Amino acid sequence: LFRAALGVNGGLSVPDVYALHQNYPNPFNPVTTLQYDLPEDAMVNITIYDMMGRIVNNLVSSQQNAGYKSIQWNATNNQGQPVSAGLYLYTIKAGQYQQTKKMILLK
């Protein structure tokens, strides 16, 4: 699903506000997609946690340009090992914006 639209000047449109969307598919196995919107250039961190609050995967940690973004997670931890089925949290931090959502991995 390609969400960016062409603006009046022919450039890609930029979102008005920060947003973190629900992952899809959810529940998922073995890969899910996380979409987020950046209204301005920002340092972006997307981190996946288990229900005990432990970091599972530092998915994104980079300076990014404004726009409609997405990244896939293949249900692995920072060491590249598959994680167990269950409930996970994913958090975005971009500028002053922070948002957390839940996702379910089924095996």
Side-chain angles (χ1 to χ4, degrees):
L1 182 64
F2 186 68
R3 294 181 54 236
L6 285 176
V8 180
N9 62 1
L12 290 177
S13 66
V14 173
D16 295 327
V17 295
Y18 285 102
L20 178 64
H21 302 282
Q22 188 63 49
N23 66 301
Y24 68 88
N26 187 35
F28 71 97
N29 180 20
V31 175
T32 190
T33 299
L34 312 179
Q35 286 188 316
Y36 54 101
D37 303 345
L38 302 177
E40 57 195 9
D41 297 359
M43 179 66 188
V44 177
N45 288 287
I46 296 178
T47 307
I48 297 170
Y49 298 91
D50 65 17
M51 288 312 291
M52 302 301 291
R54 294 178 296 234
I55 293 175
V56 173
N57 195 311
N58 297 306
L59 208 54
V60 176
S61 182
S62 62
Q63 181 72 29
Q64 297 192 355
N65 296 331
Y68 297 95
K69 310 287 184 173
S70 70
I71 187 162
Q72 290 192 320
W73 182 48
N74 61 356
T76 58
N77 62 19
N78 279 331
Q79 288 74 44
Q81 301 158 326
V83 298
S84 57
L87 191 59
Y88 291 88
L89 300 173
Y90 59 103
T91 299
I92 186 170
K93 292 178 184 168
Q96 298 300 306
Y97 178 75
Q98 184 170 340
Q99 177 76 42
T100 302
K101 291 189 180 290
K102 296 176 186 173
M103 61 181 160
I104 299 170
L105 170 59
L106 290 183
K107 296 227 174 167

